[in-house]
Amino acid sequence: MTRVDVLVVGAGIIGLSSAFHVKRLCPSCRVLLVEKHPGPGHGDTGRSAAAFRAFFTSRTNMALAASSIAFYREVQEREGFDLGMRFTGYLFLLTEEQHQALAPVLEELRRRGLGYRVYSPEELEELLGLRTRPGGEEAELMQLPGIDVGVLAENAGIIRPERLVEYYSRRIGEMGVEALYNTRVEKILVEPEQPLGVPGEPLPWQKARVVGAATSRGEIRADVTIVAGGAETPFLLDPVGVDIHAKPKKRQVFVIRADRPELRRLLHAEGFNSLGLAPFILLPKGVYIRPAPEDNAFWVGASDHLGRPFSWEPDPQPEEHFYEYGIYPVLHNYLPAFENARPSSAWAGFYDISIDGQPVVLSEPGLVAAAGTSGSGIMKADAVGRIAASLALGKKRAALYGGEEVDASILGTRSRRVEEERLVI
Amino acid sequence: MTRVDVLVVGAGIIGLSSAFHVKRLCPSCRVLLVEKHPGPGHGDTGRSAAAFRAFFTSRTNMALAASSIAFYREVQEREGFDLGMRFTGYLFLLTEEQHQALAPVLEELRRRGLGYRVYSPEELEELLGLRTRPGGEEAELMQLPGIDVGVLAENAGIIRPERLVEYYSRRIGEMGVEALYNTRVEKILVEPEQPLGVPGEPLPWQKARVVGAATSRGEIRADVTIVAGGAETPFLLDPVGVDIHAKPKKRQVFVIRADRPELRRLLHAEGFNSLGLAPFILLPKGVYIRPAPEDNAFWVGASDHLGRPFSWEPDPQPEEHFYEYGIYPVLHNYLPAFENARPSSAWAGFYDISIDGQPVVLSEPGLVAAAGTSGSGIMKADAVGRIAASLALGKKRAALYGGEEVDASILGTRSRRVEEERLVI
């Protein structure tokens, strides 16, 4: 049996950040990280679309993302540790109706000093080769709306998750956090504070707490266990009666090589940032395009709502028809540069979708759970880790990077105090 | 293939009430109720503790419970349909600390005209034979707190679920709602509004809606499907990507016959109501006692939090040790009348626990889901059914019994606007 002060379950980006901040706040704590994969970031962290934006309507979402992005920027620019961050911007392509609906939100964001730029249809046509009025039989059948305006969020862009994973895992190694890979958590352990040795403990009248985990390498006991299992978190917490209020949903990302002049021109579009790169583009109907300049490619995907299941499987595979029928028809109708483009590769992972699209960080005696990042975990990981670490160390408040303090219970389920997010992809 | 206007899945109390109110609001609608059991109310509705209270701190909870109770009272007193309602009251037994913490809440309830009475330890000792200061080795080991005050909520009591089920099912029969029992829903059907016949439909860019259900008796198509599957709701909705944000947790109820003078005296305790019956009693540590005068018995149970799983099984069984170690030690230490009392029978069912202990009624295109009643479904069923029916019929507002109108989206997940409930059992 191993005994530690803080056990962190999961070496995805949330677990890594949590372990880092626990050790930073409590250098004398013995912190142990366990992960079923052979290394850090091998799960859904590495299967994301790897983009970031400090552009949300929920103040909480904004604080989480903006402070995390500022921290990553500091790491890259001051510490000189390349995270592959590129401030390409996020371009929302909107109908006039959507723009009208968002107008008060954008006004509020402007007041808060969140820079954005507005593009006319003519500018979008010129800079991206965008068909703002897609026509033809297919476009009509699909009821593809016309695009009347582009809104570019400037404090936004792309990042390389494997570099961020490398940063945190290197730092926690230096700080003395122990890590056990290839180690599967079989069960979170709950015990009464004063065990009696009778059946069914903890009994309803007993004060119970989480005391660690049973793993494939034996029992690990801890004062506090931080569960950061991403989309698999419910499988660990349901058996102990804790509801993280998040569910797994498959995400698929397809890689399109910029192997012809039209796509190369699009990838290196001018007019959006000082890098001469296309921004992260949000087309109507939930289709998104991420520039991947290091691969001379684009990553494309689509969010969906009603109809596709909440479910989990150990080795999710991308589905050819999801690209062919789900993404391509939208893609090529708006951006003819993608005409006949087919993916050269693809992967699938899981979103971990919470009740409101914002992360969940809850605490119970001996337990902190951090999950539900809903597809924006990387861009908020530093802040989520700070909040999880603060709860694990019994603090009422958490200091985000840059100094803003938040109530550490803000992302809990019963204690939740987050605002509605209206800039949803 | 059957075609109806409104399909209701589940003939528990929520499904019955929903079907009733749909048909009441839309007499010309063809409404079909399907249920896997051989009759109505055969699931968790019939396995509850069957009590009610119009005594909550959340205004929403209050409106749901108070209006439903008023409706049931009307049914029993004006329509002359006996629901077995008895206004025994709900007696919360509190420590001074708990009482202090609840003081502002009680003050607010008083201002809202919610009648309650306060009992001193001496009165409780005299009226119930309560040991307000349980002593001895076991009580000390268990850290059983002393009871300093009793708060009796007056608009509260017990009800017979099978009578309420009978009322609704008789009424919907008279009104022309069709019911199919022994009919299992295999799948909720989601289709694009304009199908193309390609793989993977509905595709992410397509407008999709729920169009009915595949059942063991074939496909049933409906303009709107109301899913009221209680604790099983996630099994129906997860496959179509709708999260009801509620999970099943086992509940157990044990029957103790009042077969000796001390227990008979307790059952017929004076001083709490005009019926000369013991109130529904909430002891510390989550143990509750429901008078069951028609059986000359008490029903006892205990709520629990950390440690017992969220899980579901088709035929849950009560666990002997749950009574013996989980309930009895609390019971007999406070109420010596239960000394050596053992259950004559018992049953188990499932709570359907939502994020905040209040019901969930959400809508998606073609779908309404009503569940998450968290152990207080019967006492709120009429209001929940009215809200579900209003959403199913495309109304923005729902009129509760007595005339209060609420926004029909108030119990949704994304649109949720409920206040924290602080009178939790």
Side-chain angles (χ1 to χ4, degrees), chain A residues 141-143 190 194 196 198-200 203-205 208-209 234 238-243 245 247 249 285 302-304 306-310 321-322 325-326 330 355 365, chain B residues 141-143 190 194 196 198-200 203-205 208-209 234 238-243 245 247 249 285 303-304 306-310 321-322 325-326 330 355 365:
Chain A
L141 181 70
M142 294 174 70
Q143 300 181 293
V190 178
Q194 297 180 297
L196 299 176
V198 299
L203 299 160
W205 55 265
R209 58 183 293 121
D238 280 356
V240 295
V242 174
D243 192 346
H245 283 287
K247 282 188 176 163
K249 191 167 215 179
K285 302 282 188 185
S303 63
D304 61 88
L306 189 62
R308 294 182 68 86
F310 286 116
H321 67 73
F322 191 82
Y325 301 109
V330 178
I355 191 165
Chain B
L141 181 70
M142 293 173 70
Q143 300 182 293
V190 178
Q194 297 179 297
L196 299 176
V198 299
L203 299 160
W205 55 265
R209 59 183 293 121
D238 280 356
V240 296
V242 174
D243 192 345
H245 283 287
K247 282 188 177 163
K249 192 168 215 178
K285 302 282 188 185
S303 62
D304 62 87
L306 188 62
R308 294 182 69 86
F310 287 116
H321 67 73
F322 190 82
Y325 301 109
V330 178
I355 191 164

Coordinates of all heavy atoms in Angstrom, one line a residue, chain A residues 141-143 190 194 196 198-200 203-205 208-209 234 238-243 245 247 249 285 302-304 306-310 321-322 325-326 330 355 365, chain B residues 141-143 190 194 196 198-200 203-205 208-209 234 238-243 245 247 249 285 303-304 306-310 321-322 325-326 330 355 365:
Chain A
L141 N -30.8 22.6 -51.0 CA -31.3 21.4 -50.3 C -30.9 21.4 -48.9 O -31.7 21.1 -48.0 CB -30.8 20.1 -51.0 CG -31.3 18.8 -50.4 CD1 -32.8 18.6 -50.7 CD2 -30.5 17.6 -51.0
M142 N -29.7 21.8 -48.7 CA -29.1 21.9 -47.3 C -29.5 23.1 -46.5 O -29.3 23.2 -45.3 CB -27.6 21.8 -47.3 CG -27.0 20.5 -47.9 SD -25.2 20.6 -48.1 CE -24.7 20.6 -46.4
Q143 N -30.2 24.0 -47.2 CA -30.6 25.3 -46.6 C -29.4 26.0 -45.9 O -29.5 26.4 -44.8 CB -31.7 25.0 -45.6 CG -33.0 24.4 -46.2 CD -34.1 24.2 -45.2 OE1 -34.0 23.4 -44.3 NE2 -35.2 24.9 -45.4
V190 N -14.1 4.6 -0.7 CA -14.8 5.4 0.2 C -14.9 4.6 1.5 O -15.2 3.4 1.5 CB -16.2 5.7 -0.2 CG1 -17.0 6.5 0.8 CG2 -16.2 6.5 -1.6
Q194 N -14.9 6.5 11.0 CA -14.7 5.5 12.1 C -15.3 4.2 11.7 O -16.5 3.9 12.0 CB -15.3 6.1 13.4 CG -14.7 7.4 13.8 CD -15.3 7.9 15.1 OE1 -16.5 8.2 15.1 NE2 -14.6 8.0 16.1
L196 N -16.6 0.4 11.5 CA -17.0 -0.6 12.6 C -16.8 -2.0 12.2 O -16.9 -2.9 13.0 CB -18.5 -0.4 12.8 CG -19.0 1.0 13.3 CD1 -20.5 1.0 13.3 CD2 -18.4 1.3 14.6
V198 N -18.7 -3.6 10.0 CA -20.0 -4.3 9.7 C -20.3 -4.2 8.2 O -19.7 -3.4 7.5 CB -21.2 -3.7 10.6 CG1 -20.9 -3.9 12.1 CG2 -21.4 -2.3 10.2
P199 N -21.3 -5.0 7.7 CA -21.5 -5.0 6.3 C -22.1 -3.7 5.8 O -22.9 -3.0 6.6 CB -22.6 -6.1 6.1 CG -22.5 -6.9 7.3 CD -22.1 -6.1 8.4
G200 N -21.8 -3.3 4.6 CA -22.5 -2.1 4.0 C -21.9 -0.8 4.3 O -22.4 0.2 4.0
L203 N -22.2 3.3 6.2 CA -23.6 3.3 6.4 C -24.1 4.7 6.3 O -23.3 5.7 6.4 CB -23.9 2.7 7.8 CG -23.4 1.3 8.0 CD1 -23.2 0.9 9.4 CD2 -24.4 0.3 7.3
P204 N -25.4 4.9 6.0 CA -25.9 6.2 5.8 C -25.6 7.2 6.9 O -25.5 8.4 6.6 CB -27.4 6.0 5.6 CG -27.7 4.6 5.5 CD -26.5 3.9 5.9
W205 N -25.6 6.8 8.1 CA -25.4 7.7 9.2 C -23.9 8.0 9.5 O -23.6 8.9 10.3 CB -26.0 7.2 10.5 CG -25.6 5.8 10.9 CD1 -26.3 4.6 10.6 CD2 -24.5 5.4 11.7 NE1 -25.6 3.6 11.1 CE2 -24.5 4.0 11.8 CE3 -23.4 6.2 12.3 CZ2 -23.5 3.3 12.5 CZ3 -22.4 5.5 12.9 CH2 -22.5 4.1 13.0
A208 N -18.5 9.7 5.8 CA -17.7 9.0 4.9 C -16.8 9.9 4.2 O -17.0 11.1 4.0 CB -18.6 8.2 3.9
R209 N -15.6 9.3 3.7 CA -14.8 10.1 2.8 C -14.0 9.3 1.9 O -13.9 8.1 2.1 CB -13.8 11.0 3.7 CG -12.9 10.3 4.6 CD -12.0 11.3 5.4 NE -11.1 12.0 4.6 CZ -11.1 13.3 4.5 NH1 -11.9 14.1 5.1 NH2 -10.2 13.9 3.7
P234 N -17.2 9.7 -15.1 CA -18.4 9.0 -14.5 C -18.2 7.6 -14.2 O -18.8 7.1 -13.2 CB -19.5 9.2 -15.6 CG -19.0 10.3 -16.5 CD -17.5 10.3 -16.4
D238 N -19.5 7.3 -10.5 CA -20.9 6.7 -10.3 C -20.9 5.7 -9.2 O -21.8 5.7 -8.3 CB -21.4 6.1 -11.6 CG -22.0 7.2 -12.5 OD1 -22.0 8.3 -12.2 OD2 -22.4 6.8 -13.6
P239 N -19.9 4.8 -9.2 CA -19.9 3.8 -8.1 C -19.8 4.3 -6.7 O -20.1 3.6 -5.8 CB -18.6 2.9 -8.5 CG -18.4 3.1 -9.9 CD -18.8 4.6 -10.2
V240 N -19.3 5.5 -6.5 CA -19.3 6.1 -5.1 C -20.4 7.1 -4.9 O -20.4 7.8 -3.9 CB -17.9 6.6 -4.7 CG1 -16.9 5.5 -4.7 CG2 -17.4 7.7 -5.7
G241 N -21.3 7.2 -5.9 CA -22.5 8.1 -5.7 C -22.2 9.6 -5.9 O -22.8 10.4 -5.2
V242 N -21.2 9.9 -6.7 CA -20.9 11.3 -7.0 C -21.2 11.5 -8.5 O -20.7 10.8 -9.3 CB -19.5 11.7 -6.7 CG1 -19.2 13.1 -7.1 CG2 -19.2 11.5 -5.2
D243 N -22.1 12.5 -8.8 CA -22.4 12.8 -10.2 C -21.7 14.0 -10.7 O -21.9 15.1 -10.2 CB -24.0 13.0 -10.2 CG -24.5 13.0 -11.7 OD1 -23.7 13.1 -12.6 OD2 -25.7 12.9 -11.8
H245 N -22.0 15.2 -13.6 CA -22.9 15.9 -14.5 C -22.2 16.2 -15.8 O -22.3 17.3 -16.3 CB -23.6 17.1 -13.8 CG -24.7 16.7 -12.9 ND1 -25.9 16.3 -13.4 CD2 -24.7 16.6 -11.6 CE1 -26.6 15.9 -12.4 NE2 -26.0 16.1 -11.3
K247 N -21.1 14.0 -19.7 CA -21.2 12.7 -20.4 C -20.3 12.7 -21.6 O -20.1 13.8 -22.2 CB -22.6 12.4 -20.8 CG -23.5 11.9 -19.7 CD -24.9 11.4 -20.1 CE -25.5 10.9 -18.9 NZ -27.0 10.7 -19.0
K249 N -19.1 12.3 -25.4 CA -19.7 12.3 -26.8 C -18.5 12.2 -27.8 O -17.5 13.0 -27.6 CB -20.5 13.5 -27.0 CG -21.4 13.5 -28.3 CD -22.4 14.6 -28.3 CE -23.7 14.1 -29.0 NZ -24.7 15.1 -29.0
K285 N -23.6 25.9 -39.4 CA -24.0 24.4 -39.2 C -22.9 23.7 -38.4 O -22.8 22.5 -38.5 CB -24.1 23.8 -40.6 CG -25.1 24.4 -41.5 CD -26.5 23.9 -41.1 CE -27.6 24.4 -42.1 NZ -28.9 24.0 -41.7
A302 N -16.9 18.9 -36.9 CA -18.3 19.5 -36.8 C -18.9 19.1 -35.5 O -18.7 18.0 -35.0 CB -19.2 18.9 -37.9
S303 N -19.5 20.1 -34.8 CA -20.2 19.8 -33.6 C -21.6 19.3 -34.0 O -22.1 19.6 -35.0 CB -20.2 21.0 -32.7 OG -20.9 22.0 -33.3
D304 N -22.2 18.6 -33.1 CA -23.6 18.2 -33.4 C -24.4 18.2 -32.1 O -23.8 18.3 -31.0 CB -23.6 16.8 -34.0 CG -23.0 15.8 -33.1 OD1 -23.8 15.2 -32.2 OD2 -21.8 15.5 -33.1
L306 N -28.7 17.2 -31.3 CA -29.6 16.0 -31.2 C -29.3 14.9 -32.2 O -29.1 15.2 -33.4 CB -31.0 16.6 -31.5 CG -32.2 15.7 -31.3 CD1 -32.3 15.3 -29.8 CD2 -33.5 16.3 -31.7
G307 N -29.3 13.7 -31.7 CA -29.2 12.6 -32.6 C -28.0 11.7 -32.4 O -28.0 10.5 -32.7
R308 N -26.8 12.3 -32.1 CA -25.7 11.4 -31.9 C -25.5 11.1 -30.4 O -25.7 11.9 -29.5 CB -24.4 12.1 -32.5 CG -24.6 12.2 -34.0 CD -23.4 12.8 -34.7 NE -22.2 11.9 -34.6 CZ -21.9 10.9 -35.5 NH1 -22.7 10.7 -36.5 NH2 -20.8 10.2 -35.4
P309 N -25.1 9.9 -30.1 CA -25.3 9.4 -28.7 C -24.2 9.9 -27.7 O -23.1 10.3 -28.1 CB -25.1 7.9 -28.9 CG -24.2 7.7 -30.1 CD -24.6 8.8 -31.0
F310 N -24.6 10.0 -26.5 CA -23.7 10.0 -25.4 C -23.2 8.5 -25.2 O -24.1 7.7 -24.8 CB -24.3 10.5 -24.1 CG -24.5 12.0 -24.1 CD1 -25.8 12.5 -24.1 CD2 -23.5 12.9 -24.2 CE1 -26.0 13.9 -24.1 CE2 -23.7 14.3 -24.3 CZ -25.0 14.8 -24.2
H321 N -18.0 8.4 -43.3 CA -19.2 9.1 -43.7 C -19.5 10.3 -43.0 O -20.2 11.2 -43.4 CB -20.5 8.1 -43.7 CG -20.9 7.7 -42.3 ND1 -21.5 8.6 -41.5 CD2 -20.7 6.5 -41.7 CE1 -21.7 7.9 -40.3 NE2 -21.3 6.7 -40.4
F322 N -18.9 10.5 -41.8 CA -19.1 11.7 -41.0 C -18.5 12.9 -41.8 O -19.0 14.0 -41.8 CB -18.5 11.6 -39.6 CG -18.9 12.7 -38.7 CD1 -20.1 12.7 -38.0 CD2 -18.1 13.7 -38.5 CE1 -20.5 13.7 -37.1 CE2 -18.4 14.8 -37.6 CZ -19.6 14.8 -36.9
Y325 N -20.5 13.1 -45.6 CA -21.8 13.6 -45.6 C -22.1 14.7 -44.6 O -23.0 15.5 -44.7 CB -22.9 12.5 -45.4 CG -22.8 11.4 -46.4 CD1 -22.3 10.1 -46.1 CD2 -23.2 11.6 -47.8 CE1 -22.2 9.1 -47.1 CE2 -23.1 10.6 -48.7 CZ -22.6 9.4 -48.4 OH -22.5 8.4 -49.3
G326 N -21.3 14.7 -43.5 CA -21.5 15.6 -42.4 C -20.8 16.9 -42.5 O -21.2 17.9 -42.1
V330 N -20.8 21.0 -46.3 CA -20.8 22.4 -45.8 C -19.5 23.1 -46.2 O -19.5 24.2 -46.7 CB -20.9 22.4 -44.2 CG1 -20.9 23.8 -43.7 CG2 -22.2 21.7 -43.8
I355 N -23.3 20.2 -18.1 CA -24.6 20.7 -18.2 C -24.7 22.0 -18.9 O -25.7 22.3 -19.6 CB -25.3 20.8 -16.8 CG1 -26.8 21.1 -16.9 CG2 -24.6 21.8 -15.9 CD1 -27.5 20.8 -15.6
P365 N -15.9 15.1 0.7 CA -14.9 14.8 1.7 C -13.8 13.9 1.1 O -14.1 12.8 0.6 CB -15.6 14.1 2.8 CG -17.0 14.8 2.8 CD -17.3 14.9 1.3
Chain B
L141 N -20.6 6.4 20.1 CA -19.8 5.9 19.0 C -20.3 6.5 17.7 O -19.6 6.8 16.8 CB -19.9 4.4 19.0 CG -19.1 3.7 17.9 CD1 -17.6 3.8 18.2 CD2 -19.4 2.2 17.8
M142 N -21.7 6.5 17.6 CA -22.3 7.0 16.4 C -22.3 8.5 16.3 O -22.7 9.1 15.3 CB -23.7 6.5 16.3 CG -23.8 5.0 16.1 SD -25.5 4.4 16.2 CE -26.2 5.1 14.6
Q143 N -21.9 9.2 17.4 CA -22.0 10.6 17.4 C -23.4 11.2 17.1 O -23.5 12.1 16.3 CB -20.9 11.2 16.5 CG -19.5 10.8 16.9 CD -18.4 11.4 16.0 OE1 -18.3 11.1 14.8 NE2 -17.6 12.3 16.6
V190 N -34.9 9.5 -33.9 CA -34.5 10.8 -34.4 C -34.3 10.8 -35.9 O -33.6 9.9 -36.4 CB -33.2 11.3 -33.7 CG1 -32.8 12.7 -34.1 CG2 -33.4 11.3 -32.2
Q194 N -35.5 16.7 -43.3 CA -35.5 16.4 -44.8 C -34.5 15.3 -45.0 O -33.4 15.5 -45.3 CB -35.2 17.6 -45.6 CG -36.2 18.7 -45.4 CD -35.9 19.9 -46.3 OE1 -34.8 20.5 -46.0 NE2 -36.7 20.2 -47.2
L196 N -32.2 12.4 -46.5 CA -31.5 12.2 -47.8 C -31.3 10.8 -48.2 O -31.0 10.4 -49.3 CB -30.2 12.9 -47.8 CG -30.1 14.4 -47.6 CD1 -28.7 14.9 -47.5 CD2 -30.9 15.1 -48.7
V198 N -28.8 9.0 -46.8 CA -27.3 8.7 -46.8 C -26.9 8.2 -45.4 O -27.7 8.4 -44.5 CB -26.5 9.9 -47.2 CG1 -26.8 10.4 -48.6 CG2 -26.6 11.1 -46.2
P199 N -25.8 7.6 -45.3 CA -25.4 7.0 -44.0 C -25.2 8.1 -42.9 O -24.8 9.2 -43.2 CB -24.1 6.3 -44.2 CG -24.0 6.1 -45.7 CD -24.7 7.3 -46.3
G200 N -25.5 7.7 -41.7 CA -25.2 8.6 -40.6 C -26.2 9.7 -40.3 O -26.0 10.6 -39.5
L203 N -27.3 14.0 -40.0 CA -25.9 14.6 -40.1 C -25.9 15.9 -39.3 O -26.9 16.5 -39.0 CB -25.6 14.9 -41.6 CG -25.7 13.6 -42.4 CD1 -25.8 13.9 -43.9 CD2 -24.4 12.7 -42.2
P204 N -24.7 16.3 -38.9 CA -24.6 17.4 -38.0 C -25.3 18.7 -38.6 O -25.8 19.5 -37.8 CB -23.1 17.7 -37.8 CG -22.4 16.5 -38.3 CD -23.4 15.7 -39.2
W205 N -25.3 18.9 -39.9 CA -25.8 20.1 -40.4 C -27.3 20.0 -40.6 O -28.0 21.0 -41.0 CB -25.1 20.5 -41.7 CG -25.2 19.3 -42.8 CD1 -24.2 18.4 -43.0 CD2 -26.2 19.0 -43.7 NE1 -24.5 17.6 -44.0 CE2 -25.8 17.9 -44.4 CE3 -27.5 19.6 -44.0 CZ2 -26.6 17.4 -45.4 CZ3 -28.2 19.0 -45.0 CH2 -27.8 17.9 -45.7
A208 N -32.7 18.1 -37.0 CA -33.2 16.8 -36.6 C -34.3 17.0 -35.6 O -34.4 18.0 -34.9 CB -32.0 16.0 -36.0
R209 N -35.2 16.0 -35.5 CA -36.2 16.0 -34.5 C -36.5 14.5 -34.1 O -36.3 13.6 -34.8 CB -37.4 16.8 -34.9 CG -38.1 16.3 -36.1 CD -39.3 17.2 -36.4 NE -40.3 17.2 -35.4 CZ -40.8 18.2 -34.7 NH1 -40.2 19.4 -34.9 NH2 -41.7 18.1 -33.8
P234 N -32.3 8.0 -18.6 CA -31.0 8.2 -19.4 C -30.8 7.0 -20.4 O -30.1 7.3 -21.4 CB -30.0 8.1 -18.2 CG -30.7 8.5 -17.0 CD -32.1 8.1 -17.2
D238 N -29.7 8.9 -23.6 CA -28.3 8.9 -24.0 C -28.1 8.6 -25.4 O -27.3 9.2 -26.1 CB -27.5 8.0 -23.1 CG -27.2 8.6 -21.7 OD1 -27.5 9.8 -21.5 OD2 -26.6 7.9 -20.9
P239 N -28.8 7.5 -25.9 CA -28.5 7.1 -27.3 C -28.9 8.2 -28.4 O -28.4 8.1 -29.5 CB -29.4 5.9 -27.5 CG -29.6 5.3 -26.1 CD -29.6 6.5 -25.3
V240 N -29.7 9.2 -28.0 CA -30.0 10.3 -28.9 C -29.3 11.6 -28.6 O -29.6 12.6 -29.1 CB -31.5 10.5 -29.1 CG1 -32.2 9.2 -29.8 CG2 -32.2 10.8 -27.8
G241 N -28.4 11.5 -27.6 CA -27.6 12.7 -27.3 C -28.3 13.7 -26.5 O -28.0 14.9 -26.6
V242 N -29.2 13.3 -25.6 CA -29.9 14.3 -24.8 C -29.6 13.9 -23.3 O -29.8 12.7 -22.9 CB -31.4 14.3 -25.0 CG1 -32.1 15.2 -24.0 CG2 -31.8 14.7 -26.4
D243 N -29.1 14.8 -22.6 CA -28.7 14.5 -21.2 C -29.7 15.0 -20.2 O -29.9 16.3 -20.1 CB -27.3 15.1 -20.9 CG -26.7 14.6 -19.6 OD1 -27.4 14.0 -18.8 OD2 -25.5 14.8 -19.4
H245 N -29.5 14.8 -17.1 CA -28.8 15.2 -15.9 C -29.5 14.7 -14.6 O -29.7 15.4 -13.6 CB -28.7 16.7 -15.8 CG -27.6 17.2 -16.7 ND1 -26.2 17.0 -16.4 CD2 -27.6 17.7 -18.0 CE1 -25.5 17.4 -17.4 NE2 -26.3 17.8 -18.4
K247 N -29.6 10.7 -12.3 CA -29.1 9.3 -12.2 C -29.8 8.5 -11.2 O -30.3 9.1 -10.2 CB -27.6 9.4 -11.9 CG -26.7 9.7 -13.1 CD -25.2 9.5 -12.8 CE -24.5 9.8 -14.1 NZ -23.1 10.1 -13.9
K249 N -30.5 6.0 -8.2 CA -29.9 5.6 -6.9 C -30.9 4.7 -6.1 O -32.1 5.1 -6.0 CB -29.4 6.8 -6.1 CG -28.5 6.4 -4.9 CD -27.9 7.6 -4.3 CE -26.5 7.3 -3.9 NZ -25.7 8.4 -3.3
K285 N -29.3 12.3 10.8 CA -28.6 11.3 10.0 C -29.4 10.7 8.9 O -29.2 9.6 8.4 CB -28.2 10.1 10.9 CG -27.3 10.5 12.1 CD -25.9 10.8 11.7 CE -24.9 11.0 12.8 NZ -23.6 11.3 12.4
S303 N -31.8 8.3 3.8 CA -31.2 8.9 2.6 C -29.7 8.8 2.8 O -29.2 8.7 4.0 CB -31.6 10.3 2.4 OG -31.2 11.1 3.5
D304 N -28.9 8.7 1.8 CA -27.5 8.7 1.9 C -26.8 9.5 0.9 O -27.5 9.9 -0.1 CB -27.0 7.2 1.8 CG -27.3 6.6 0.5 OD1 -26.5 6.8 -0.4 OD2 -28.4 6.0 0.4
L306 N -22.5 10.3 0.0 CA -21.2 9.7 -0.5 C -21.1 8.2 -0.2 O -21.3 7.8 1.0 CB -20.1 10.5 0.1 CG -18.7 10.2 -0.4 CD1 -18.6 10.5 -1.9 CD2 -17.6 10.9 0.3
G307 N -20.8 7.4 -1.2 CA -20.5 6.1 -0.9 C -21.4 5.0 -1.5 O -20.9 4.0 -1.9
R308 N -22.7 5.3 -1.7 CA -23.6 4.4 -2.3 C -23.7 4.7 -3.8 O -23.8 5.9 -4.2 CB -24.9 4.2 -1.6 CG -24.7 3.7 -0.2 CD -25.9 3.5 0.6 NE -26.8 2.4 0.0 CZ -26.7 1.1 0.4 NH1 -25.8 0.7 1.2 NH2 -27.5 0.3 -0.2
P309 N -23.7 3.7 -4.7 CA -23.6 4.0 -6.1 C -24.8 4.6 -6.8 O -25.9 4.4 -6.4 CB -23.3 2.6 -6.7 CG -23.9 1.6 -5.8 CD -23.8 2.3 -4.4
F310 N -24.5 5.3 -7.9 CA -25.5 5.5 -8.9 C -25.5 4.3 -9.8 O -24.5 4.0 -10.5 CB -25.2 6.8 -9.7 CG -25.4 8.1 -9.0 CD1 -24.3 8.9 -8.7 CD2 -26.7 8.4 -8.6 CE1 -24.5 10.1 -8.0 CE2 -26.9 9.6 -7.9 CZ -25.8 10.5 -7.6
H321 N -29.0 -5.8 5.8 CA -28.0 -5.0 6.6 C -28.2 -3.5 6.5 O -27.8 -2.8 7.4 CB -26.6 -5.4 6.2 CG -26.2 -5.0 4.8 ND1 -25.9 -3.7 4.5 CD2 -26.0 -5.7 3.7 CE1 -25.6 -3.7 3.2 NE2 -25.6 -4.9 2.7
F322 N -28.9 -3.1 5.5 CA -29.2 -1.6 5.4 C -30.1 -1.2 6.5 O -29.9 -0.1 7.1 CB -29.8 -1.3 4.0 CG -29.8 0.2 3.7 CD1 -28.7 0.9 3.2 CD2 -31.0 1.0 4.0 CE1 -28.8 2.2 3.0 CE2 -31.0 2.3 3.7 CZ -29.9 3.0 3.2
Y325 N -27.9 -2.2 10.1 CA -26.8 -1.3 10.5 C -27.0 0.1 10.1 O -26.4 1.0 10.7 CB -25.5 -1.8 9.9 CG -25.2 -3.3 10.3 CD1 -25.3 -4.3 9.4 CD2 -24.8 -3.5 11.6 CE1 -25.0 -5.6 9.8 CE2 -24.5 -4.8 12.0 CZ -24.6 -5.9 11.1 OH -24.3 -7.2 11.5
G326 N -27.8 0.4 9.1 CA -27.9 1.7 8.6 C -29.1 2.5 9.2 O -29.0 3.7 9.3
V330 N -30.0 4.2 14.5 CA -30.4 5.6 14.6 C -31.8 5.6 15.2 O -32.1 6.3 16.2 CB -30.5 6.4 13.3 CG1 -31.0 7.8 13.5 CG2 -29.1 6.4 12.7
I355 N -29.6 17.3 -10.7 CA -28.4 18.1 -10.2 C -28.7 18.9 -9.0 O -27.8 19.1 -8.2 CB -27.9 19.0 -11.4 CG1 -26.6 19.7 -11.1 CG2 -29.0 20.1 -11.7 CD1 -25.9 20.3 -12.3
P365 N -36.4 19.5 -30.2 CA -37.4 19.3 -31.3 C -38.1 17.9 -31.3 O -37.4 16.9 -31.3 CB -36.6 19.6 -32.5 CG -35.5 20.5 -32.1 CD -35.2 20.0 -30.7

